[in-house]
Amino acid sequence: MTRPEDGLSILWPANALLAGLLIRHTSLARPPSWAGALCGLALANVFLEGLRWPAALSYGITDLSGVFVAWIILSSDWSPSRLRSPRAISQVLAACVAAAAANAAIALALTPWLRPDAQWPTVALNWFFGQLLSYSAFLPPIMLLPRRFRLRGDRRRSWASLLKRMGSGTLLLPFAALLASLSLCFLLGGPGAAAFPIPALMYCALAYRQGTTAWITLMTALAVLLGIANGWLPLGEGHLLAGLHAWDMVSLRLGVLLLVVSPLLVSGILAARSDLISSLNLALDHDGLTRALSRQAFLRSADEHLGRTPAPPQGNALLMLDIDHFKQLNDRHGHAAGDRVLKAFAQTIRTIVRPLDLFGRLGGEEFALFLPDTSEQDANDIAERLRFCVERLEVPLDDGPPLRISVSIGTVHDSRTPLASLSELLAYADRAMYQAKRGGRNRVHAHGGPAAQAPDATEDPAWHPPLNNAPKAP
C-alpha cells in the first residue's frame, strides 16, 4: 500500500513492528525466534517483491540488523512509564536513529552485489530515512501500550467522566481540529500539505494522554503517507511519488518525521509535568512514614463524601484506631522500632480495606478509617477483622524477638447520628475508641449515638480529647 508501481516504498513498518514485539516480550528474543523472523522477512521478499532467495535473505538480514539494534538499546527494564519524559522520548528516537543507521550500513555494504547499477548515496539515504520514519512512527505507540488490559472496578464512573468530557467538548474539539486539518491537506495538496496537521496534533497532545496521542499521530502519518503514495494527496504538478528524486524523497520523509516527533515530545513534556504534580500532591496529601492520608487530606476527603447528594443507601461509617501501649513501646525499644510498627500497622490496614475507603493518620499512633456506603454491621465486621489481623502481626527487630502489637478501635455509623458533621462523627468515634481501651484494649467498641454519655476524663488518665478539637456532644 505504501509502494506505488515502479516506485520507492515510502514506509516499511515490518521492522518497527517486529522490534516493538520483541521489546515488549523479551522472552521471545531467543535464537529460534530470530531465525523465524528472518525466514518471515525473506519469504515476504520472495512472494511480495519477487526477489530470488539469495537477495531475499540478504534483505532479510539487513532488516533484522536494525531490529536487533533497537532491541538491544530499549529492551532492558522496559515499561510504559519509561516514556513519560522528553528525555525518554529522545532516547527512543536515538534508538530509532541507531537502528536505521545499522540498516543503512548493511544495505550499503550489500549494494554492489544486489544492485550493481545503484548509486551508494541514494541507497544509503533511502534506507536510513525510510527506516528512521518507520521506527519513529511505530515504536512509541507500541511501547506505550499498557502491559495488560484490565477492566477497572469503577468503570461506570470512568464512562460517566468520559461522557461528561465529550459533552463539554474537551475530547471532541482536538479530534475535530485534526479531521479538519487532514481534510485541508487532501483538498489543497501541494508541497507543504504534510505539515497541515501539526498544529492539530499539538492540540491533541495537550488534550489527550500520551499513549492516545502517539496512536493518533501514527494514524495521521499513515493517512498522509498513503495519500501521497496513491496519488490522493498530490504534492504538486508533476510530483507524483513514483517520479520523485532521491533528495525529494528524503525531504518528504523528514517532513513527515517532524509531524510524528513534535507531538510525541510535547506529550512527553506534559506527561513529565503531570507526574511531577502527582508526586507533589502525593507528598502533600500523604504521611511520609506510613503513606496513609495526612490529617488535612483525610478530613477534606471524608467531608466531601459526607456532603454527597444523594447519600449512599447503606450510609457511612467512621473508625478510630489507636495502637495500644505505643508510648511504652517507643520508650523501651526506641523510635526506630516505633517507626517500624507504624509502617507495618498501616500496611496491614491497607491490605484489608477497599480502594475507595479513606485511611488517614491523624497524629502519633492514632489513625482513622472512613468507610463510604457501608452498613453498620459491615463496619463492625471490618473493624473486628482489622483488630484480628493487627493482633497477629509480628514486627521484626534488628535484635531480639519480633514485636507483637494490638489496636483499640471505636466505630460510629451515621445512621445513628442523623445530620452529624464530620467533627461530631470523629468525636463519637474517639469516645468509642476510649471505651475500647477502658474495656481492656485490643477490642472494638461501637458508639450508640448522640445520647451516649462522654466519659469522665478523671476516670482514666489515658483519656484525651478528640484530635479535631470538636465540642463534646451532650
Side-chain angles (χ1 to χ4, degrees), residues 270-294:
L270 294 174
R273 176 177 174 270
S274 175
D275 290 343
L276 177 60
I277 293 174
S278 298
S279 63
L280 291 175
N281 288 334
L282 183 67
L284 290 172
D285 290 346
H286 290 76
D287 174 60
L289 178 65
T290 63
R291 309 311 298 165
L293 287 173
S294 65

Side-chain angles (χ1 to χ4, degrees), residues 62-78:
T62 303
D63 289 335
L64 212 58
S65 64
V67 175
F68 182 76
V69 169
W71 173 77
I72 285 291
I73 297 174
L74 298 175
S75 62
S76 60
D77 193 26
W78 168 85

